[in-house]
Each structure stands twice: as structure tokens, then as C-alpha cells.
Amino acid sequence: MKRLRISGSVAWNLFLLFLVFALVGTVFVGSVGAGYFASLVKNEPLRSKAELRNQIFSYEETSEIYFANDIYIGKLRTDLDRRETSLSNVAPDVINAVLATEDEYFREHTGIVPKAVIRGLLQDVTNSATQTGGSTLTQQLIKNQVLTNEVSYERKAKEILLAMRLEHFMTKEEILEAYLNIIPYGRNSSGRNIAGIETAAEGIFGIKAKELALPQAAYIAGIPQAPFAYTPFTNTGELKSEEALQPGIDRMKTVLYRMKEAGYINDAQYQEALDYDITADFRGPEMRAEDRYPWLTYELESRAKDIIAEKLAQEDGIDAERLKSEKKLRDKYTILADRDVRSKGYRIYSTINKDMYDAMQKAAQDFQYYGHTYTGKGKDPVTGEETDIEMPVQVGSILIENTTGRILSFVGGRDFKTTQVNHATQAYRSNGSTMKPLLVYAPAIEYGVIGAGSPLVDVKFSIGSWSPSNYITSDERGIIPAREALADSQNISALRLYNDILNKRPADLLVKMGFSKLHPDDFTNLATGIGALHEGATVEENTNAFATFANGGQFIDAYMIDRIEDQDGNIIYQHEIVPTEVFSPETSYIITDMLRDVLTKGTGTLARNSLKFSSDFAAKTGTSQEYKDVWLVGYNPNVSLGVWMGYDQPRTLYAFNNTYSQPSVRINKLWATLMNSVYDVDPQFIDPQTSFKRPPNVVSASFCGISGLAPSAACSSAGLVRSDLFNAKVFVPSKPDDSFGSGSGSVVTIKGKTYNALSSTPAEFTRSGGVGINQAFITRMLGRLGGNPANLLPKNSSLSNSSVSALDFPADSSPPATVSATVNGSTLSWSGSSNDVVGYRIYNVTNGGRSLVTSVLESTQSMTVASGQAYVVVAVDITGLTSAQSNVVSTGGSENIPEPEENEEEQEPDQETPTTPPAEGNGNSSEGNGNGAANGNGSHSNGNGGTANPSDGSNGGNTGTPPPTDTPPQ
């Protein structure tokens, strides 16, 4: 017993000793561990409740875009798709699957599970092949939202500390909901990275998270352990092979087993879920929004960034004008806005009508008359490497609702893969003659300079080396009505009118109508009147400006984003319509009435004739230099449609022997095709029954057609009184016409032009009833630009009158040159003489005598004569002087035909004898004049272009160098 007591005492003492050592060791190790833990987290700031909660709930969410009427388009481009949901909208099986798999003690622990932490630490220290992990849902939430994925003890220590702290600040339901919204789930059926249970359910199975069945819930719950191994889709959105899908299916079975072990499902449910074919539920490949609607997606993204950038700047007290003018400031807020748009989960609601947009895309795609596609060197839009690329004719078009400014539809281009430039909203090009009503005619009416039919001068002029011309370079119509000049798109008359109002800075009106890239020279350059802008305008800007006329002179800025909502449905942006007065209602109606003529008898007739319906339309065509751009912009009371065609690298649209017909014909056809496509979608809206209403102050008044002043007796006698529309508020003709002089009333024709006859002009070559034009009037009409007075009243002018002479002919005192006569059978012909010749006398000189056969006007240089006779011809000028007689010619026979004496002078006809030529001579003269007039009218018809072959007039005028810049007009 003594030995036993001694042995027991020794053992007890040893036990106590070992116990002391163990306690000391434990305290030491614990102290070391605590000290090490403290050293790991010493730099971790003490986060407040609000700060920690904000970080947890600040997960990125993908923004979505919508058509009008809240029709879903898709998600904006982002590296990660995510859509937030609440716990109440998640199927219970999903929650059970997540807890059984990821955190079985979630309801009991306070942020961490100690034994799991120790187990994980030992596995890491021993480098165990089995790594079970030890993170709770709270820890995973901290790792993803507050810390990083860095693999280190420091990060793990901070994770543990913050997880325990978070449990004091958030409920279990809040932690679970946040976890389900942030955890990654691999890829969806479009190949995009996804996060969040709602996005996973839609992206993998095409259903909502609350609709997930047990097998589907188990499959999704298993993905986060190895997202890209278990996800069923590749990075291109294709379903993986059967072999590659198996790991994800095996993981689903593991999740189901754990759910059964945890008591969430019974054996029957477990077996049924195991037998379920989950692969049948995977959704098919889904095109991304930017793939289905690339032009629209990129445009809405860009506009949303602009809106958010301005909103962020305003919140920082930055004025919107500073944001536009200061590049660095704009770049800063654009970057901030880009982050917000991609990550804040905005819902962006557009004005685009889905059916109209789809219809216009198809119509543009099916159109067969764009023109030739070139091949050249360029950069591949994807790789950036130089390669052979196609260079097709591009198109830009936009449809705007007039009264609201809503952009209903647009066409951005031919193929987004070829070029990503949106040709409707981003491409700045010369707008050619579509500029004329905006910058020339409407302002001139507004200023009270002209009415709809006021006379304009279509006579060529030169400024330095710049000599503009009309579409047909030889076309000079003289004095023509403004209505005709605009309908036929005459360049010269538009430039002269613009010169008259240039000092009023009408380009300021372009600024009011949204032209965004005007240079200082654009306000003073004469050629701007026919579209010679430094940078041009977009289709949106040009069309939006024309809608001003449809709105009675009120400019309403076009817009594509109606509103933007945040994740909670709060409206953070709502578009507001702010009209800007540019023109009076009277001016708008008058210019609209003039532009109606473009479609009925001008350069847009083919477009009008190609429409399926008949609205009250007004329109204007346009071309730039060398047909590098062609336009047509038209509007009715409801909508405005603008269309442009051209190459990205400007080059002429004429090519290959006109294989695709004239560019002007193509643009007419395309405009009608696109308008018809939206008409098919909504006939009642696109074809309104209403017409443009004439304001009370738009009156019809009479005026003298060549002066624009109140009709005089002389003007009335000449048959030149016209009537057209005026704005009674600013201008109605009241001053008496002063264009006619008090001449003899006799006129002559020289080279197709009419001049006042002189008192010495032989009466046989004059026409009675004529009236002369005042020299002061001629000087006033030609103005500082000058020009040839003889061209004021050419034959192809609709105001031409055979009894009106433009001016006195500058005659000299020299007799006309001798003509040379020839004969062919019974036809006598002769050469022309001097420029002042008014006619010719034909004499019979058979048997040595000389008798007058007939007198003909200068336009006639041949006639039929009797056979067996000899003839000579004498030229007579406007002063009455005659040339020496021509050589003698004979038509054959036995008569004796003596040669006249070499210096024999022409004798005047016996004044006692009537000077009127015989009937045959009058017939020849009349025929000559008739032919001349017919030819003139023919030229006029060709100049108009005709209904089958319309062509705009701006091309011819865009040659040379316009003042005051050295840049050729575009």
C-alpha cells in the first residue's frame, strides 16, 4: 500500500506537471495565435454598420434596354450579367440546396464555424490532398463584396473578423439574399458571365428563380464550387458536349444527396430528382442584344451615358455647358457614367417602335439599288489587322414623330460587321441641296425678302475662281419664281438669294435647329447655302430640322431615350419636350407648300409616285459635290423621314456605266421603300387624314413676275402677272412695278435672246407689241454678284415672254461680215455673220438683175428656192447696216447668170414697196423661232429631270472654290 501510495503520488504530480505544461503550452500557442491573428488584421479599418452594409449591397447589376411600350430588348454590354432579386422570389428548394451544400449550420453560427476553420487550417498546414473548405455563407459574402479572392492568411483572418462583425449588422435573411445575388454561376446561353440566382435561372433554364424545380435548383446550387467546370455553356453560348456536361450533373447529384441527408427532401424526392433529365431543360443559344440589335444597343448605351454623365456633373455642381466645352471634364464624367450604366442595373426605356424598326431594317436589307461595292485595304473591325475589306454604299435613315421629337426608328447602316458607325446619328456629311429650304428660302421668307413665287435671278456669276452652276451646267433660266427654283433645286438662284440675306446671319437658325458642328466660316461662306459645311450634319440633325416646318416653326429636339429607372423602379431621368421657336407658322406653311412641288413636279416625283399612299407630303432632295452624298428628307403632319446614301470614304456614287441608275433615282426609290415599310406597320399613323393648315396671315397676292412688285399696266400687258403665297405679317407686294421702260414696243431676237429694237432697225426684222426692261431694274436684279444681262430672260425660263426684251443690244457701227452661200438641189444655205445680225435678205440675181426674194430672221440660215435661178444673201444688223452680198450660187438651168461687180453695194429696198417679206419668208422665220423655242423648252424639261429621271441640282454648283474659304463646297 505504501508503494502504491508513493506511485500514485508520483503519477499525480506528473499529471499535474503535464497539465501545467499543457495549460501553459495552450496559453502560449493561443497567445501566439492570437498575436498572429491580431498582426494579420491590424491594418483592417473598423468599419461602421452603415459602411459595411453599403459594401455588401453594392453589387453590380446589369442594365436593361427596352423598345417603346416597355418591350424588352435585352441587357447592355457588360463583363458580367446580374439581375437582383429578393428572397421571396426564390424557390425554397434553391435555399435548401444552398444551405445543405454550402453552410449546413447557417441558422446557428455567428459568422464562422470554429471546427471548420480549424479543419481547414490543419488541411492547409499539412498540405492535405482533401480540402473541404471552411467558409460560411457570411464569409463568402465578405470575400466577394468587401475583400478580394487573394489566397493568404491575412485575407482569411480579415474575412473571419468581418464575418463575425457582419452577423451583428445583418439578419440571416439579408445575408442569404445578398449571397444569392452576388455568387457567380458560370455562363449563360449567350456565353456571357453571370452572377446571382435570378440571372442564373434565366440564363441556364430560361425561367424565373421562383419557378426552379428541385433538380434545377440542385444543379444551380452546385455550380459556385467550380463555376466554369459545372456551367453547361461555352463562352460562345453553345451547349457543352455530353462528356463536358457530366461533371455538372455529378455535382447536382451530390447536392441532392446532401439535401436528403440534411432532411430537406425525402427518399422519394431524392430518387425522382436523380432520374430527372436535366439536360432537356437547358435553354438553346440566345443572341445577345448587341447581336440582335447592334445599331440600337450601341446607340442607346451611348445616349444613356451622355444622360448619366450630365446628371452626375449636375450633382457635383458642374454646369452642362462646361461639360460640353471642356474635354477633360467631359471625359471624366463619361468614364463615371460608363461605370454606372454598366453596373447600376438601370432600365433604359427607348422611343423606338419595335415593329417599325424591324420593318425598316428588312426594307433596307432587301433594297437592291444601293450601288457598287468596292474592295480595298482596311483594318479588320475585330482584330485590327490590315486586310481586304468590303466598302459598300452605306445608308443612314431616321423616322421622327414631329410633335414630340420621338425617334420612332432608324437604319444605322448596311452591315454592322463592316462598320460600327451609325450612319443615322454619327456620320457627319454634306447635306447638299437639302440645306436650301433650311438656310436660304425659309429665312428669306421669314425676313420678308420673298414670297413663295417671288422672282429670283438664275444667272451665272463668278467670285474669283469659283463659278457655281446648276445641275446642268449650261442651264441659266434668268428670272424664275422662287417656287420653281426650289422645286428644281437651282443652285445659282439659291446662292444669289442667300447672298441677299447673308448679313442677317441665317446660320444662327441652324444652331437653333440642332446643327452641332458649325464652324465660324459656315456663318459667312456663301457656298454654305447649298450645303458646303465644313463638317456637315447627321441624318438625325437634318431630318430633325425639317420637322421644324411640320411643327409650324417650332424646333423640338429629337430624342431616343424616354426615361431611365434605377433598380428599385425610381425614375432618375425623364425626357422633357422643350420647343424652340425658329420660324413663324406663316413661314413654315409657305415653305411646306413650296416643298410640296418637289414631290409633284420637281426632283422628288419618283419618290412620290412610288408611295403606297397619298399623304400631304413635302420634301427636298440633295446631292453633294460629285455625287458623294445623296439625300431625300420628307415630312407629313405626323412624321419626318430622312435618308442618306454614300460611301464611308467619300467617292462618287456614279459608277460602271450607271448600272444602278442615277444616284438621285436610287435615293428616291429608297425613301419610298422605307416609308412604305413603316406604313405597312401602322397605316393610320403614317398616313394621317389631316393636312397642313394654312395660317390666316398666309395670303395669296398678285405681283409682277419679273420684279416681284405690285403689277403695273406694262407688266399686265406683257402677260407676266402672277399670284402666289405671302406672309401678310412681313411682306405683301405693294410698291408699283418698275421693271419696264417706255421703249418703242418693238423687239428683235439675236442668238435666241430678245433685245430692244433701235429706231434704225429694219421693221421687217422686228416684232411689235414688245416692251423693254429698265436698265436700273437690270442692275438691281443682278446685284453685286453681276452676270450677263442678256441671260435674264432666256427661253427656258417659265417667265420668258417673246415680247419682253431684257436690255438694249450693245451695237457697233461696223457693217456685218459677209456670209458664204451654198446650194444643194433646191435648198439654199449660208453661213452665219456677226453677233449683232438680226436677219438676212435673199436676192435673185438671175440675168444680171437683183430682186428681193424674202427676208428671214437671224435664226434661219437655209430656205427652199426655185431651180434654174441665181441667188445671193446679205446680212443685216440691228442698226440697219448690211454686209456685202455673198457669193452667187445657182440652182441649175440655162439662164445667163452674170457675176455682180466686185464692189457693188447693197441697195435698200424701195421704201414705197411694202417691207413685209412674202408669206414663204414669214413661214421660214416663224419656223426658225418655233424651233428655237422648242429647243429651249426641251432643255427646260431635261433640267427638271422629269418624273422618271429625277436629279437634284446641287451637284453642278459644287465645283470650284467658294469664297471665302479654300475648301471646295461639299
Side-chain angles (χ1 to χ4, degrees):
M1 291 298 294
K2 182 179 180 180
R3 290 176 184 163
L4 183 60
R5 286 196 299 272
I6 293 172
S7 298
S9 177
V10 171
W12 175 251
N13 288 329
L14 288 173
F15 170 74
L16 292 175
L17 181 62
F18 281 120
L19 181 60
V20 170
F21 279 127
L23 289 173
V24 171
T26 301
V27 171
F28 176 77
V29 171
S31 299
V32 171
Y36 182 58
F37 183 86
S39 69
L40 292 175
V41 298
K42 66 179 180 178
N43 294 324
E44 173 62 25
L46 183 63
R47 302 170 194 263
S48 66
K49 176 180 178 180
E51 183 181 3
L52 200 54
R53 285 177 64 88
N54 285 339
Q55 286 182 289
I56 291 299
F57 288 117
S58 66
Y59 38 82
E60 293 184 355
E61 187 174 349
T62 311
S63 295
E64 298 174 341
I65 52 178
Y66 294 80
F67 285 110
N69 302 318
D70 300 351
I71 299 174
Y72 182 70
I73 299 174
K75 301 179 186 295
L76 284 183
R77 298 177 302 132
T78 181
D79 294 331
L80 182 70
D81 270 1
R82 189 200 318 265
R83 170 56 62 190
E84 181 185 5
T85 191
S86 63
L87 206 58
S88 60
N89 288 323
V90 179
D93 283 335
V94 174
I95 298 172
N96 294 336
V98 169
L99 295 181
T101 307
E102 298 294 332
D103 194 348
E104 58 181 318
Y105 301 111
F106 176 73
R107 301 292 183 187
E108 293 79 28
H109 67 64
T110 57
I112 64 170
V113 177
K115 67 176 182 179
V117 173
I118 294 173
R119 182 179 66 244
L121 179 61
L122 290 175
Q123 289 173 346
D124 186 62
V125 170
T126 60
N127 198 24
S128 172
T130 302
Q131 298 286 333
T132 58
S135 296
T136 63
L137 296 186
T138 313
Q139 287 176 264
Q140 293 183 53
L141 194 58
I142 290 293
K143 179 180 68 174
N144 281 278
Q145 292 299 95
V146 181
L147 303 175
T148 67
N149 289 325
E150 175 192 3
V151 180
S152 69
Y153 290 123
E154 181 180 355
R155 195 271 300 163
K156 194 69 176 179
K158 292 179 180 179
E159 178 186 300
I160 293 171
L161 178 67
L162 291 172
M164 291 188 293
R165 187 170 178 79
L166 186 64
E167 289 276 345
H168 292 289
F169 297 154
M170 295 176 63
T171 66
K172 290 292 185 180
E173 282 69 25
E174 287 177 325
I175 292 173
L176 182 58
E177 181 177 298
Y179 172 85
L180 288 173
N181 277 311
I182 64 98
I183 206 70
Y185 286 101
R187 300 184 187 278
N188 61 14
S189 59
S190 65
R192 184 172 286 165
N193 296 334
I194 55 176
I197 189 65
E198 184 70 24
T199 311
E202 292 180 353
I204 296 174
F205 296 115
I207 58 177
K208 300 292 185 182
K210 64 182 179 181
E211 299 170 350
L212 289 169
L214 175 59
Q216 297 168 334
Y219 188 93
I220 285 181
I223 292 177
Q225 187 186 60
F228 298 107
Y230 296 152
T231 186
F233 301 108
T234 67
N235 60 355
T236 60
E238 296 178 355
L239 191 65
K240 291 180 179 178
S241 66
E242 185 177 343
E243 181 182 355
L245 286 173
Q246 195 58 46
I249 296 173
D250 292 341
R251 176 64 179 167
M252 177 192 73
K253 294 177 179 179
T254 300
V255 173
L256 289 169
Y257 176 77
R258 292 183 180 177
M259 291 179 71
K260 180 175 76 72
E261 290 296 304
Y264 291 119
I265 59 175
N266 56 35
D267 289 341
Q269 290 173 308
Y270 171 67
Q271 192 58 50
E272 182 181 358
L274 284 179
D275 295 338
Y276 188 83
D277 182 12
I278 193 67
T279 60
D281 289 347
F282 296 141
R283 67 181 302 175
E286 178 190 18
M287 290 186 69
R288 304 175 184 180
E290 63 264 31
D291 295 329
R292 289 181 293 121
Y293 294 104
W295 304 108
L296 180 56
T297 301
Y298 281 76
E299 187 65 28
L300 291 177
E301 178 184 308
S302 173
R303 292 184 182 234
K305 285 194 292 187
D306 290 341
I307 291 170
I308 298 300
E310 186 171 335
K311 179 177 181 293
L312 294 175
Q314 288 177 348
E315 291 173 356
D316 290 344
I318 304 296
D319 184 75
E321 291 304 316
R322 280 191 62 198
L323 198 65
K324 293 178 182 178
S325 60
E326 298 180 25
K327 184 179 183 302
K328 288 185 178 180
L329 197 64
R330 185 169 64 253
D331 290 345
K332 170 189 173 182
Y333 282 99
T334 298
I335 292 171
L336 294 174
D338 183 69
R339 293 174 183 171
D340 272 14
V341 168
R342 297 188 191 282
S343 64
K344 288 293 184 67
Y346 295 138
R347 292 175 176 85
I348 302 165
Y349 296 91
S350 77
T351 62
I352 301 298
N353 181 296
K354 181 181 185 302
D355 294 336
M356 289 184 181
Y357 187 83
D358 290 340
M360 281 184 67
Q361 306 315 303
K362 186 176 188 308
Q365 183 180 0
D366 294 344
F367 189 69
Q368 300 295 313
Y369 307 102
Y370 286 110
H372 181 71
T373 296
Y374 293 91
T375 301
K377 292 292 183 182
K379 288 186 177 181
D380 185 281
V382 178
T383 65
E385 298 178 355
E386 186 173 8
T387 183
D388 289 335
I389 60 171
E390 289 188 344
M391 296 182 293
V393 175
Q394 287 293 347
V395 59
S397 179
I398 202 160
L399 181 71
I400 300 174
E401 184 180 40
N402 298 327
T403 56
T404 64
R406 291 191 305 147
I407 297 175
L408 302 174
S409 181
F410 68 89
V411 176
R414 297 279 299 282
D415 183 0
F416 190 78
K417 295 178 181 178
T418 302
T419 175
Q420 286 75 50
V421 175
N422 189 329
H423 296 87
T425 64
Q426 299 170 358
Y428 288 82
R429 302 295 286 255
S430 165
N431 63 347
S433 286
T434 60
M435 181 66 86
K436 293 172 183 175
L438 301 173
L439 186 59
V440 182
Y441 288 93
I445 295 170
E446 186 76 7
Y447 301 150
V449 176
I450 64 168
S454 294
L456 302 180
V457 176
D458 199 57
V459 174
K460 291 182 180 180
F461 63 89
S462 296
I463 301 178
S465 61
W466 186 48
S467 300
S469 67
N470 292 318
Y471 170 70
I472 298 176
T473 56
S474 61
D475 185 19
E476 274 183 288
R477 302 190 189 180
I479 298 177
I480 61 173
R483 181 183 293 277
E484 176 185 334
L486 181 57
D488 290 347
S489 202
Q490 298 295 96
N491 289 331
I492 299 172
S493 48
L495 288 169
R496 285 181 174 273
L497 177 59
Y498 188 51
N499 178 71
D500 291 341
I501 64 173
L502 192 55
N503 62 330
K504 298 180 181 293
R505 285 179 61 88
D508 287 335
L509 299 175
L510 294 182
V511 177
K512 284 188 172 184
M513 290 186 285
F515 279 66
S516 62
K517 292 198 174 183
L518 295 178
H519 285 230
D521 284 352
D522 293 331
F523 291 80
T524 58
N525 185 4
L526 185 60
T528 305
I530 55 175
L533 292 169
H534 272 74
E535 294 193 53
T538 65
V539 179
E540 178 183 349
E541 289 177 347
N542 211 25
T543 308
N544 201 183
F546 271 82
T548 304
F549 300 139
N551 290 327
Q554 298 282 320
F555 172 73
I556 298 176
D557 198 12
Y559 67 102
M560 197 179 295
I561 294 181
D562 178 65
R563 71 185 189 278
I564 299 177
E565 296 179 359
D566 64 14
Q567 302 175 22
D568 301 321
N570 300 312
I571 297 177
I572 65 169
Y573 168 79
Q574 177 72 60
H575 180 80
E576 294 182 5
I577 299 172
V578 183
T580 300
E581 185 174 346
V582 182
F583 301 110
S584 66
E586 291 80 10
T587 293
S588 299
Y589 180 82
I590 291 173
I591 200 71
T592 294
D593 189 64
M594 294 169 71
L595 292 175
R596 285 166 170 157
D597 291 355
V598 172
L599 294 170
T600 56
K601 53 188 176 183
T603 56
T605 51
L606 179 60
R608 179 75 187 209
N609 294 338
S610 301
L611 287 178
K612 295 180 177 180
F613 59 103
S614 179
S615 285
D616 186 7
F617 268 111
K620 184 68 187 78
T621 57
T623 61
S624 68
Q625 186 175 5
E626 298 174 356
Y627 273 109
K628 294 176 181 176
D629 308 273
V630 288
W631 294 77
L632 202 158
V633 184
Y635 59 92
N636 66 18
N638 278 4
V639 296
S640 296
L641 176 69
V643 185
W644 162 89
M645 284 199 306
Y647 289 99
D648 275 330
Q649 297 300 321
R651 65 192 302 167
T652 182
L653 287 164
Y654 266 116
F656 299 95
N657 299 320
N658 208 22
T659 303
Y660 298 94
S661 73
Q662 287 190 43
S664 52
V665 171
R666 294 181 233 166
I667 200 69
N668 269 253
K669 288 181 177 179
L670 181 56
W671 185 87
T673 298
L674 294 176
M675 187 61 83
N676 285 334
S677 73
V678 293
Y679 168 79
D680 289 339
V681 172
D682 192 345
Q684 291 184 339
F685 178 71
I686 299 298
D687 182 19
Q689 299 304 305
T690 57
S691 300
F692 292 107
K693 301 301 180 185
R694 177 170 164 174
N697 285 307
V698 173
V699 299
S700 182
S702 298
F703 58 96
C704 183
I706 62 172
S707 68
L709 302 178
S712 63
C715 182
S716 180
S717 298
L720 293 176
V721 175
R722 300 174 67 89
S723 180
D724 215 321
L725 301 179
F726 291 87
N727 179 0
K729 286 184 175 180
V730 294
F731 173 52
V732 174
S734 58
K735 182 180 178 181
D737 170 59
D738 63 352
S739 55
F740 295 95
S742 55
S744 64
S746 297
V747 295
V748 295
T749 300
I750 301 176
K751 304 298 183 184
K753 295 181 175 62
T754 305
Y755 298 92
N756 294 323
L758 303 178
S759 58
S760 60
T761 305
E764 63 198 285
F765 302 112
T766 66
R767 300 191 302 277
S768 60
V771 61
I773 299 294
N774 236 325
Q775 190 61 45
F777 166 77
I778 294 170
T779 302
R780 185 177 77 238
M781 294 299 286
L782 292 176
R784 73 174 187 88
L785 296 179
N788 186 353
N791 294 333
L792 272 175
L793 291 174
K795 291 181 179 178
N796 61 343
S797 169
S798 61
L799 286 171
S800 63
N801 187 308
S802 59
S803 65
V804 177
S805 58
L807 73 170
D808 296 331
F809 189 88
D812 56 33
S813 58
S814 302
T818 304
V819 302
S820 175
T822 59
V823 69
N824 183 9
S826 61
T827 300
L828 171 65
S829 302
W830 56 92
S831 62
S833 183
S834 306
N835 289 331
D836 57 355
V837 167
V838 293
Y840 301 94
R841 292 174 179 150
I842 294 85
Y843 291 94
N844 189 318
V845 293
T846 308
N847 297 321
R850 188 170 76 171
S851 61
L852 179 67
V853 176
T854 189
S855 296
V856 297
L857 300 180
E858 57 87 26
S859 57
T860 301
Q861 289 184 232
S862 67
M863 62 176 291
T864 302
V865 292
S867 61
Q869 304 292 307
Y871 299 94
V872 294
V873 180
V874 173
V876 183
D877 70 14
I878 192 169
T879 66
L881 295 176
T882 59
S883 69
Q885 69 181 32
S886 70
N887 57 300
V888 178
V889 292
S890 173
T891 55
S894 59
E895 289 80 358
N896 181 24
I897 306 173
E899 287 293 331
E901 295 183 12
E902 189 172 325
N903 294 324
E904 182 178 3
E905 293 185 359
E906 160 68 4
Q907 300 296 319
E908 292 294 333
D910 186 350
Q911 295 303 313
E912 297 296 322
T913 3
T915 57
T916 303
E920 182 182 358
N922 282 335
N924 290 334
S925 298
S926 174
E927 181 182 355
N929 287 331
N931 289 339
N935 291 336
N937 289 334
S939 299
H940 176 66
S941 299
N942 292 335
N944 284 342
T947 59
N949 193 25
S951 55
D952 182 75
S954 59
N955 184 54
N958 293 337
T959 56
T961 305
T965 175
D966 292 330
T967 305
Q970 297 296 312

